[in-house]
Each structure stands twice: as structure tokens, then as C-alpha cells.
Amino acid sequence: MILTVPNQKTSTEIMMKAENAFRALLQRIDLGFWQLPERNENWLASEKFAQDIRGYAKHMLVIGLGGSFSGGRCLVESLGDKSAVDFLFNTDPQTVEATFKQCEKYADCHYLIISKSGNTLEIVCLLEILLKKLKSQNRDFKKAISVITEEKSSPLFDWVVANKIQYLAHPQDVGGRFSVFTPVGLVPAAFSGVSLAELRTGAQKAFADKSLITQLAAYYLESFQREETISAFWSYIDQLAAFSPWLIQLWAESLAKKKTRQGREAPRVSTPVTYLGTCDQHSVLQQLMEGAKDKSICFLRSQKLAESGESFTGTQWAGFEYLKDKNLGQVFATQSQATEEALQSEGRSTLSIELSSVEPESVGKLLMVFELLIGVLGEALDINAFNQPGVELGKKITKEKLQKSFSL
Amino acid sequence: MILTVPNQKTSTEIMMKAENAFRALLQRIDLGFWQLPERNENWLASEKFAQDIRGYAKHMLVIGLGGSFSGGRCLVESLGDKSAVDFLFNTDPQTVEATFKQCEKYADCHYLIISKSGNTLEIVCLLEILLKKLKSQNRDFKKAISVITEEKSSPLFDWVVANKIQYLAHPQDVGGRFSVFTPVGLVPAAFSGVSLAELRTGAQKAFADKSLITQLAAYYLESFQREETISAFWSYIDQLAAFSPWLIQLWAESLAKKKTRQGREAPRVSTPVTYLGTCDQHSVLQQLMEGAKDKSICFLRSQKLAESGESFTGTQWAGFEYLKDKNLGQVFATQSQATEEALQSEGRSTLSIELSSVEPESVGKLLMVFELLIGVLGEALDINAFNQPGVELGKKITKEKLQKSFSL
């Protein structure tokens, strides 16, 4: 994994700040997420749980929102057999109906319900609908459903206990958006055929590449100081499409806080956005080039892709003779580099991360690098990167509105 | 289509500015896009072209980038038979290979190549690969391919003429990102079973709802003045998922300009982002609530969805008794409204657009409303909303890089 930061110099002061924040993070034993690669039981239990289900079911539907699905989906869709696992993560009634109908095609479909708190409104709704569907199909819900949730009283966990549903515990010291290396991400990954051992090796390697993380953290600390209020991540790797929504949640929920841990006004951070390949050169590039200088743009590339694809004769089209003996991957990679250079020449701040290829090890490292980056930024900015107080009010108003119409 | 702007008052001055800009736009007969609903031939030729292909092919692959696919995809995926049409709009070699392989399953798959200029590097590459694949399948490319491009000399159009390939002309007075109501959008839509007549009625109705467009334009002009540098569009309608990328391109390429038409520094506009349903309440809401006040958030809802979905007993889960006799759609809609109220209570600027349901007429109107909005904003801000000078440099560097490695 090669990081290139071509047109910004990082001050020694900021580098030291990043290094100190990284050290501080690794002293926080209250945080489970960075300790996960070393917790044997976590990996073994996830593997066994997945293989047990695999023994009697060929298809899985994961039902979860936010951090309860995005890590698992990233692993399955980047590395596994996508056709083996579907995800239901929104409660649009049409989507819910279509997804359950789709699953009825698999007579043995297994339903994995994930909710850290066990108290999520959407999950309670979806589970009630699922139970009705299973009943209408004469399926025993005790065999068709398993659960991942915290081992403490909640509507979901109490139901699990009362009905003896098989479950795995969501570690209490790991936040939902940092849960990709807990059963939340690992059970769907292993079910879809991803090697957890290789994934784990990758996650472990992130810790060995300390300078990558401190450089990245220093870059973004300076980017925030330059008032680059949008952090764009431009992926030239379709296979990693599901990495983007995972990263967006991790970034947005962790870094955007009103108050520091001391109760002062928190520093302004960026809003994450993601773009995709040559497609978005024809979509957002105009804005990145000529719009306000309010963005940093991180390119994500794969060396293997750049060496792949059909090759061209260059003789079929006037004016395109230069395509001769190039292959599609070279053209694709060149377009990405040229886009980055064009942005630099307009004074935009860019960086790039290059993977050798998309394998369990490289993806394991990539995800751990970004989790550590977010943790380091949280320490350096003196904010609590591990809560999400801003989402409570909407939940409260939802409940009040539904209760009100109930009492009428 | 109901627009609600709950917590911002619009000044008379801005309303007048928006009204004048709308009038100015409708005097620009050099712009084809707003005249399309009245051009009979455009609709009839698209319908006939699609039905002719439908006569011998059951599956279509549209190959195009940017505006050449996003409008058609929006129509097909929101309104048509999604399984009938696929889109190839990125040149990641793995995606290209997988898409062509997928299409080989349909022995009669028809390939629709779309490029306004006929000079797009990616299209030249993809067409060369396609021709090789068709040859290896012993298929006659003259029957398997049709084209939409401008009727003027270009690598693509010259090839079309030389090989007598069937084609429809891309109107020269309509920009790619405004081309959804030309053959670019209409041929894939009609092929997938969308009623062009109803779509056209909807597009026409946008002009009758003048106050909707001027109110929207006035809102965004004031939003830009308030330095809300991110315009978020939060859709609670999964069926309209493909509306978001279409809107992003339309907004970003049209509004972000370095210079006004008079050569002065252009006013700062917003960067568009899109979010989805209850899923993103668990993902980005924290940032919208507690991050910088740099966003306006537009909610997109459907009345029909709010009345649909399974209903709940409210007896299965302690603390959720208020779900009794509610259905999923009501809960979904209530969560959306509560999220909007929570954002308002934090002083965030919000608005909402409510569709009665997702039908060809309502989608036709929605798309035309946003095209007109962008045109009105362009006139009001005195910028050229119809070019994209910022994307040329990247193309130039790509060519130089590929030529350089060719000469080595």
C-alpha cells in the first residue's frame, strides 16, 4: 500500500502531533477496535458460527443498519461470493418487500439480524415482518434466524434469550462503525468464502506501517486547517465500491462533533464524499477543477488493474493511434493520474493510495488503516470519535410523533 | 409535487431575481433542452427506434459515460423493466470484462453506443473491445450495434456512416447532461417499457408549475448566499436511487464555473451530495446535526410509500407499543419528517419535495423541474451552465502521457 502526497509539505509540528495522537490511541485500552486483530476468540468464533450456518444454508440475508451492515458488505462484495449474501439496510417498504420476496426463492435462506444496542427501531420493525413471513412459509424461526447483539438486556437480546435463538455477542467495547473485524463483519465475510486468516494478517500489518497512518493523519489535520471542508475519495477500483459507504459513515459519525472532550467548540472537520472512476470524470470533475478550493481529493488505485484488460490496435479510429499496444487498464490508470495532475495544476490538494491488488490481506489492511486514521484524528482534535450524540433527537421526535398518532 | 420550505423566508428581491432568470432562460432559443417536450419528432423517433430494436432483441446494453447514460438509467431503473437494460459507464477493466461476459448470455443482446461528441476516449476503447467480442461470437456488428451521436464528423460518426450502422442523432443544441428527454434517455426508457407519452406529459407539466421552480431557485440562491457550500439531497424513495447520480452531474458540471459570462470571478456555488433513507440516519446524520452549518438538506418523499408496507402489532417488543397498527411506510415517513425537524431545531436549512407516487408522469416532471432549476440558477448567477471547460486539461494530459509512452 503506497501513499503519495504530491503537492503538500507536512510540517514537523503536525507530524509530531499525529505521532503523539497515535501513541495516545494505542494506550486507550477502553477502545476495543484496535485490539481486535489480536483477539483469537473473536476470529475463531466468527469462523465457526459462519461455517455452522453454511452447513445447512446456502444463502444469507444480513439485516442491519449503519455499522451493522456496511463493514460486512464491504468484505463480501470486495472479496467474497456476492451471490451468497444479501443485505437489507433501509426500511423503504418497497425494498423490504422485494428483498424478502427475493429471499423466499432460497428455501434455506438464513437471516442474520445485527443490532449492537438491540434497541433499533428499524430492526424491531424488520424482525416483526420477517417473523410473519417465516410463519406464512411454515419455517421454524428458531432455526432460520441468528443474531449479533450485545449481551445485555434489550428488546432484541431478551427475545434471543427467551426463544433460545443462536447468537454471537457484539463486543461492548467496539462501536458499530468500528465493528468490521468483529462477528458483525466476519460472519458474513466467512459465509461468503473470504479467508479470515488473510484478512487478519492484513489488519495486523496496518500496525506495522506506522508512518503511513501518521502521514495520512498529518495530511488531513493540515487539510482541515486549510479549510478544505470536503474530503473526496475517488476510487478507480470498482471492486471496492462498498468500501465508500463504509468510509463515509466512519468519517462522518466519528469526526463531526459539536464539542471537544473539554467542552469547548470542536474544530471544524470535513464532510466525506466519494467518486468513482472515469465515469465521474464526466460528472464531478468540472466542480473539482473550477469550483471553490474547498476539497482535498484522495485517489484509490490498484496496480493489478493497471496491468489488465484488452489491448488496442490503435488503427481503427483517426486521432487515437496512441492507443496502439496499450491495454484498457493502462488507459484507465493513466486517466486517473492525469486527472490528479490536472487537479494539482489548479492548486487542488491531492493524495493517492495504491494497492497492489484487491485481496483479503490488502483490504484487511486498508480498513484497519482507516479505522486507525479516524482514531488518531479524534485524539489529535481532542474529540470523542466514538459516540454519536447528534442522532438522538431525531429518534426522540420519531417516537413522540408515532406515540401521538397512537393516542389520538 | 409539493415543495415545502419550512424554516427560511425568501426575500421579494430574490424571488424577483429567480422569476426574471426563468423568463430569460425561456427566451434562449439557442438552448434545446427546455424545448424538447414540444418537439414531436424527438419522441416519435425515439419510440420507433426502441420498438424496432425490441422487435429482434430482448436485452440491451447501453455504453456511455456521464450524461450519455445517467438520464436513461434513471428512467429505466425508476420506471421500467430493469432486467431488460444494463449500463456500462466506467472503464475499470474488471467491470468491462464482467459486463460483456454477462451480455454474452443473451444471444440477441443489442448494444447502444452513446457519445454526443463521438470523440470520447472511453467510448472508442469500449467499442474496439466490443467489436472484438462480437467477432469472436460470430455476430454481425452491423446488426448488433446502434449509435446515438451528433451528425457531424467524428471518429464515431464517421465509422457509423462508413459501416451503415443504424443511428439516431444527438441534438446539437442539447448538452449531454440535459439529454434525458432526447433519444439518449428515451430509447433505453422505451425499450424497457416506460410510457414516453406519460413521461412527456410530466415534462410539460413542469412548465405549468412556474412557482415551484422559482421558489426552488430562490431557495438555492439564498442558500449559496448563506454560504451553505454543500447541497444535500436525501431521498426516502429507493425506487429513485438512480435519480441521485443524474442530479449530481447536472448540478456539479453546470453550476461550478470559474468565471461569469462577463469574465469576472464566478459566485461560489454548492457541491451536491446525496443520502438515502433511514440507512443514512445511522451514517451521516451526526455530521449534519453537529458538523459545520455548511449544508442545506432537501428531502425527497413519496406519499404512496408512506401508506404502504406491513402493519405492526406493537405487542412483541417492550417499549415499542406505539408501533401498534402503524405500517412500515408510516414509520419510514415519520422518521424522515423527524429527521428534518431535528435538523431544523439545530438551525440547519431544510426543504422537502413530496411526490404522490413514482410514475412516468411524476418522474418526467421531477427531471424537467431540476433541469429548469439549473438553467434558472445559471441565468441568475450569470454563468454559462452549459459548458464544462474544467474537464479538458485532464483529457489533454491523458493523451500526452499515452503518446509519450508510445514514442518510447
Side-chain angles (χ1 to χ4, degrees), chain B residues 34-259:
Chain B
W34 63 264
Q35 303 170 50
L36 289 167
E38 301 310 324
R39 290 185 183 167
N40 280 327
E41 177 55 22
N42 171 59
W43 299 81
L44 297 177
S46 299
E47 181 80 49
K48 184 175 182 314
F49 201 77
Q51 298 319 332
D52 284 353
I53 300 167
R54 190 82 207 178
Y56 55 83
K58 283 193 189 61
H59 193 265
M60 175 182 274
L61 179 71
V62 176
I63 301 178
L65 281 95
S68 294
F69 84 94
S70 62
R73 186 175 65 159
C74 176
L75 297 178
V76 169
E77 297 194 357
S78 306
L79 303 166
D81 172 8
K82 279 192 268 195
S83 67
V85 186
D86 280 319
F87 294 86
L88 180 57
F89 49 82
N90 191 11
T91 46
D92 178 311
Q94 221 176 329
T95 302
V96 172
E97 199 54 40
T99 306
F100 282 134
K101 200 167 177 180
Q102 176 72 22
C103 285
E104 279 179 32
K105 287 187 195 163
Y106 311 94
D108 60 358
C109 182
H110 190 80
Y111 299 86
L112 177 63
I113 313 288
I114 308 181
S115 167
K116 178 174 157 68
S117 71
N119 201 21
T120 313
L121 171 61
E122 292 90 336
I123 293 301
V124 160
C125 291
L126 294 174
L127 184 52
E128 184 165 333
I129 294 170
L130 173 61
L131 289 172
K132 209 198 278 182
K133 302 266 181 208
L134 289 173
K135 199 172 178 184
S136 76
Q137 295 162 43
N138 289 316
R139 286 195 65 190
D140 179 1
F141 71 91
K142 295 187 187 190
K143 285 182 188 149
I145 293 177
S146 59
V147 168
I148 298 173
T149 189
E150 286 177 334
E151 273 182 315
K152 62 179 188 192
S153 180
S154 75
L156 183 60
F157 187 64
D158 297 347
W159 176 82
V160 162
V161 171
N163 290 284
K164 297 198 176 68
I165 304 292
Q166 56 183 337
Y167 79 97
L168 270 182
H170 193 306
Q172 296 197 21
D173 63 352
V174 178
R177 59 187 174 274
F178 290 88
S179 68
V180 60
F181 297 125
T182 73
V184 172
L186 300 180
V187 170
F191 185 87
S192 77
V194 178
S195 159
L196 298 195
E198 290 170 35
L199 201 62
R200 187 178 182 181
T201 302
Q204 287 168 326
K205 284 194 173 172
F207 292 84
D209 209 345
K210 281 203 170 67
S211 77
L212 172 67
I213 290 156
T214 47
Q215 268 190 68
L216 264 175
Y219 173 86
Y220 281 107
L221 289 171
E222 293 201 323
S223 172
F224 299 163
Q225 285 180 5
R226 289 192 298 268
E227 296 187 353
E228 289 163 0
T229 54
I230 296 177
S231 295
F233 296 89
W234 196 329
S235 170
Y236 278 74
I237 311 177
D238 279 358
Q239 201 184 335
L240 284 180
F243 170 69
S244 297
W246 175 83
L247 177 61
I248 289 221
Q249 188 208 6
L250 184 68
W251 192 284
E253 278 207 329
S254 302
L255 299 181
K257 296 288 145 70
K258 201 188 267 187
K259 300 280 180 197

Side-chain angles (χ1 to χ4, degrees), chain A residues 45 109 124 150 175 182 209 251 310 326:
Chain A
C109 182
V124 160
E150 286 178 334
T182 73
D209 208 345
W251 193 284
E310 298 272 346
K326 304 287 185 309

Side-chain angles (χ1 to χ4, degrees), chain A residues 65-66 69 89-97 119-122 124-125 127-129 131-133 155 159 229-230 236-239 248-249 252-253 256-258 268-273 275-279 281-287 289-292 294-295 305 308-314 316-324 326 328-332 334-335 337-338 341-342 345-346 388-391 393-394 397-399 401-403 405-406, chain B residues 65-66 69 89-97 119-122 124-125 127-129 131-133 155 159 229-230 236-239 248-249 252-253 256-258 268-273 275-279 281-287 289-292 294-295 305 308-314 316-324 326 328-329 331-332 334-335 337-338 341-342 345-346 388-391 393-394 397-399 401-403 405-406:
Chain A
L65 280 94
F69 85 93
F89 50 83
N90 190 12
T91 46
D92 177 313
Q94 222 177 327
T95 302
V96 172
E97 198 55 39
N119 201 20
T120 313
L121 171 60
E122 292 90 337
V124 160
C125 290
L127 183 51
E128 184 165 333
I129 294 170
L131 290 171
K132 209 198 282 184
K133 302 265 182 208
W159 175 81
T229 53
I230 297 178
Y236 278 73
I237 312 177
D238 278 359
Q239 201 184 335
I248 288 221
Q249 189 208 5
E253 277 205 332
K257 295 288 146 69
K258 201 188 271 189
R268 182 169 180 181
V269 296
S270 66
T271 297
V273 302
Y275 299 128
L276 194 70
T278 44
C279 169
Q281 290 178 210
H282 297 261
S283 156
V284 296
L285 182 56
Q286 169 66 30
Q287 180 136 32
M289 287 288 284
E290 296 208 344
D294 57 3
K295 297 178 190 72
L305 264 192
S308 68
E310 298 272 346
S311 68
F312 302 111
T313 62
Q316 281 186 282
W317 320 102
F320 289 94
E321 295 76 13
Y322 61 84
L323 287 175
K324 186 177 184 310
K326 304 287 185 309
L328 184 64
Q330 272 175 285
V331 178
F332 188 63
T334 304
Q335 287 181 285
Q337 288 150 5
E341 282 182 29
S345 77
E346 278 294 324
Q388 53 282 342
V391 305
L393 182 58
I397 298 175
T398 296
K399 192 170 168 179
K401 278 177 173 276
L402 288 169
Q403 278 173 330
S405 71
F406 178 55
Chain B
L65 281 95
F69 84 94
F89 49 82
N90 191 11
T91 46
D92 178 311
Q94 221 176 329
T95 302
V96 172
E97 199 54 40
N119 201 21
T120 313
L121 171 61
E122 292 90 336
V124 160
C125 291
L127 184 52
E128 184 165 333
I129 294 170
L131 289 172
K132 209 198 278 182
K133 302 266 181 208
W159 176 82
T229 54
I230 296 177
Y236 278 74
I237 311 177
D238 279 358
Q239 201 184 335
I248 289 221
Q249 188 208 6
E253 278 207 329
K257 296 288 145 70
K258 201 188 267 187
R268 182 169 180 180
V269 297
S270 66
T271 297
V273 303
Y275 299 129
L276 195 69
T278 44
C279 169
Q281 290 178 209
H282 298 259
S283 159
V284 295
L285 182 57
Q286 168 66 30
Q287 179 135 32
M289 287 289 284
E290 295 208 345
D294 57 3
K295 297 178 191 71
L305 265 191
S308 68
E310 298 271 345
S311 67
F312 302 111
T313 62
Q316 281 185 282
W317 320 100
F320 288 94
E321 295 76 12
Y322 60 83
L323 287 177
K324 184 176 186 309
K326 303 287 186 307
L328 185 62
V331 177
F332 188 63
T334 304
Q335 287 182 286
Q337 287 150 5
E341 282 182 28
S345 78
E346 279 293 325
Q388 53 281 343
V391 305
L393 182 59
I397 299 175
T398 296
K399 192 172 169 179
K401 278 177 173 277
L402 289 169
Q403 278 172 330
S405 70
F406 178 54

